[in-house]
Amino acid sequence: MAQSVPLALRDIDKEQLLEFLLRYATTQTSVGVQTSRIVVNTTRIAHAYGYELTIMMFQRNIAMTLTPVLEGAEGSYQRLDYAHPVTGMSQHKHSPLNFYLNAELSRLSWYTYDNHPDLAELEARFERILTTQPVNRWLVLYLISQANMCLCLLFGGDLVSSLFVFLGTFLGFLLRQELNRRHAYIYLTICLSAFIASFIVGLGAKWGLEGSPEIALGASVLYLIPGVPFINGIMDLLDGYMLNGLSRLMTAAMIVVSITVGLSGTLLLLGLSLL
């Protein structure tokens, strides 16, 4: 026998809730969450307020339909005869990957499911997560450059080559940060970043200072490899979200092409070869 949803939950403004869920879902997309997790987290919040949620995700947009339901035994939901669903659509956002936001947004869905806060509190918690002070950009820049340098050493590069990799990665990633702040075209950003990073390393090879120029040139662009889009694309395909999976894999492939163009520019300009 179905149990009635508490009156306080029925009084939630469903249009306001739908608007929040759209922003919540698109924010998850922007920080690198796979589709199945976005659907589960967003649906969990809808269930907390006595609504069933239907989500359609596309490459650039997301559509949702919110329907009032009754909660039955064993977590089942029964649609009400007098239910009036509402539907909304929003565009996906584009932001840097952020695993902290990934975890905190998932935690917010569980808090909502367990505590049923009002929408004002839910909005406040959501905004608090989004406005969390990010990690210092210079620290990120140094750590990524150091990681690329270590990868060069790990792959058999000499010390001088790894120092050029550090400098190239530092300047290439700095350029990427600045272009991202100015909302430059993503593939142009990747191409220019790959060119700058590999060009600095290529100068060391051209001057005969590096003992392992092939390893150094290969390592100089590793920070641009789209690991998360590749992983999320495969996971989406395995979960049955074919359009999203193919879209993310194509995005990853385009990033690889952009890296290749930037690296090829260095090789042609300096007359170098990786063979």
Side-chain angles (χ1 to χ4, degrees):
M1 185 69 180
Q3 299 176 352
S4 298
V5 179
L7 181 59
L9 302 185
R10 290 185 185 178
D11 289 340
I12 291 292
D13 186 333
K14 58 185 176 183
E15 292 187 356
Q16 185 180 353
L17 176 60
L18 178 63
E19 180 183 352
F20 171 82
L21 293 176
L22 286 168
R23 291 191 291 116
Y24 177 79
T26 54
T27 301
Q28 289 182 91
T29 304
S30 69
V31 299
V33 183
Q34 72 268 25
T35 303
S36 60
R37 187 172 182 183
I38 294 173
V39 172
V40 169
N41 289 343
T42 310
T43 302
R44 185 182 295 130
I45 293 178
H47 285 173
Y49 295 107
Y51 289 90
E52 184 60 67
L53 187 66
T54 302
I55 301 177
M56 292 183 293
M57 298 190 66
F58 307 98
Q59 292 89 334
R60 292 181 176 272
N61 303 295
I62 179 171
M64 293 182 183
T65 297
L66 199 61
T67 307
V69 292
L70 289 174
E71 183 177 358
E74 300 179 356
S76 62
Y77 292 88
Q78 177 184 349
R79 181 169 176 169
L80 301 173
D81 294 336
Y82 54 85
H84 296 287
V86 292
T87 300
M89 177 177 288
S90 181
Q91 288 187 332
H92 291 301
K93 301 177 181 179
H94 298 284
S95 303
L97 296 175
N98 192 316
F99 295 107
Y100 171 79
L101 290 183
N102 187 327
E104 288 300 312
L105 291 172
S106 181
R107 186 175 291 116
L108 177 63
S109 71
W110 279 113
Y111 173 84
T112 305
Y113 189 80
D114 292 335
N115 297 280
H116 307 289
D118 58 40
L119 285 182
E121 180 185 349
L122 183 60
E123 292 271 6
R125 288 180 174 273
F126 181 64
E127 291 300 325
R128 193 178 307 131
I129 292 173
L130 296 184
T131 55
T132 301
Q133 188 69 22
V135 178
N136 185 281
R137 60 173 296 197
W138 299 105
L139 176 61
V140 173
L141 190 56
Y142 169 77
L143 291 176
I144 289 179
S145 302
Q146 187 70 45
N148 251 19
M149 175 182 174
C150 293
L151 286 172
C152 180
L153 292 171
L154 183 64
F155 295 149
D158 61 286
L159 181 59
V160 175
S161 297
S162 64
L163 291 175
F164 271 97
V165 169
F166 179 92
L167 179 60
T169 302
F170 189 93
L171 295 177
F173 195 76
L174 178 61
L175 175 65
R176 182 181 182 181
Q177 287 182 332
E178 292 301 318
L179 291 177
N180 283 337
R181 289 175 62 187
R182 290 162 174 78
H183 307 287
Y185 186 55
I186 179 174
Y187 300 121
L188 177 62
T189 297
I190 298 296
C191 183
L192 292 177
S193 300
F195 174 75
I196 292 299
S198 59
F199 186 79
I200 298 300
V201 175
L203 287 177
K206 188 71 173 179
W207 295 336
L209 300 176
E210 299 173 2
S212 47
E214 298 86 359
I215 296 175
L217 282 168
S220 65
V221 295
L222 287 179
Y223 71 99
L224 296 168
I225 298 299
V228 172
F230 271 124
I231 294 172
N232 283 345
I234 295 298
M235 292 180 68
D236 284 351
L237 290 179
L238 294 176
D239 290 332
Y241 298 99
M242 298 300 176
L243 285 178
N244 279 9
L246 292 175
S247 173
R248 284 177 162 172
L249 289 177
M250 285 301 298
T251 298
M254 288 296 294
I255 292 175
V256 172
V257 170
S258 301
I259 296 172
T260 304
V261 171
L263 182 57
S264 299
T266 291
L267 298 179
L268 291 173
L269 193 61
L270 297 179
L272 300 174
S273 174
L274 290 175
L275 300 178

